[in-house]
Amino acid sequence: MRARLQKLWQARAPRERAVIAVLAATIAVLLYLWLLQSGGRARLQLGASVVALQAQAARLDRDAEELLRLRALPPTPAAQGDLRSLVQAQLGAAGLSRALLKIDAPDANQVQVALGAVAFADWLAWVASLQVQHVRLDACRLEALSTPGLVSVTATLIRVRPQ
């Protein structure tokens, strides 16, 4: 095979061989430059990804440390007493009592609440504050209102026992 290629090469005129050699060298140089450019671009993209991943890893480490710290704390005692009073007090503390339409307590460990126009972010913060008191959301229906960010809420809250 090699002898055949050499014979084919020798059969070409010297000028054709020079043109083929120059074209092959040009193609090789262009291919090398393209590979360098592609590699440099990929290196820059990976460098940006590494920085973002390092930031995420640091945040995960901080979150893990916070989780360990919180797990080491003694559990917050569950609020004893009337759940309805506790929910109303938390509504007042969150500034949502103006939106309260109805509150019913079917039993000692369950409360049904209906709120009119309330900011969704305020609703989420209120639910989070109830979780600290060992009260969780059992069922909920949210309806978006025409004003952006406002919702009406119908929710059932229950008292949970700390483990």
Side-chain angles (χ1 to χ4, degrees):
M1 176 82 170
R2 185 178 173 127
R4 187 173 172 198
L5 285 176
Q6 236 178 359
K7 190 176 184 181
L8 215 113
W9 179 255
Q10 293 299 327
R12 300 269 176 216
R15 185 176 171 103
E16 285 181 358
R17 283 187 280 187
V19 169
I20 291 171
V22 168
L23 284 175
T26 303
I27 290 172
V29 167
L30 289 175
L31 183 61
Y32 179 74
L33 291 175
W34 177 75
L35 286 172
L36 278 178
Q37 180 193 20
S38 295
R41 194 173 348 154
R43 184 178 55 81
L44 288 175
Q45 289 174 345
L46 288 174
S49 295
V50 165
V51 170
L53 289 172
Q54 286 173 336
Q56 287 178 354
R59 193 180 97 239
L60 283 174
D61 286 341
R62 286 191 309 271
D63 290 348
E65 289 171 4
E66 178 69 7
L67 182 61
L68 290 174
R69 185 187 71 76
L70 290 174
R71 284 186 176 165
L73 292 175
T76 307
Q80 299 301 318
D82 187 28
L83 182 59
R84 180 181 173 148
S85 301
L86 173 66
V87 169
Q88 280 183 317
Q90 290 294 321
L91 273 169
L96 300 177
S97 56
R98 69 192 179 322
L100 180 64
L101 299 176
K102 179 177 91 170
I103 185 166
D104 292 324
D107 63 47
N109 291 319
Q110 183 179 5
V111 172
Q112 295 172 340
V113 177
L115 299 174
V118 62
F120 183 69
D122 294 342
W123 160 254
L124 288 178
W126 180 65
V127 170
S129 72
L130 286 173
Q131 287 177 347
V132 172
Q133 300 293 326
H134 301 287
V135 176
R136 78 173 169 93
L137 201 55
D138 187 46
C140 179
R141 190 179 106 233
L142 292 169
E143 291 182 23
L145 300 178
S146 60
T147 305
L150 291 183
V151 294
S152 67
V153 179
T154 304
T156 302
L157 304 162
I158 60 170
R159 184 188 321 259
V160 293
R161 301 288 173 222
Q163 299 172 357

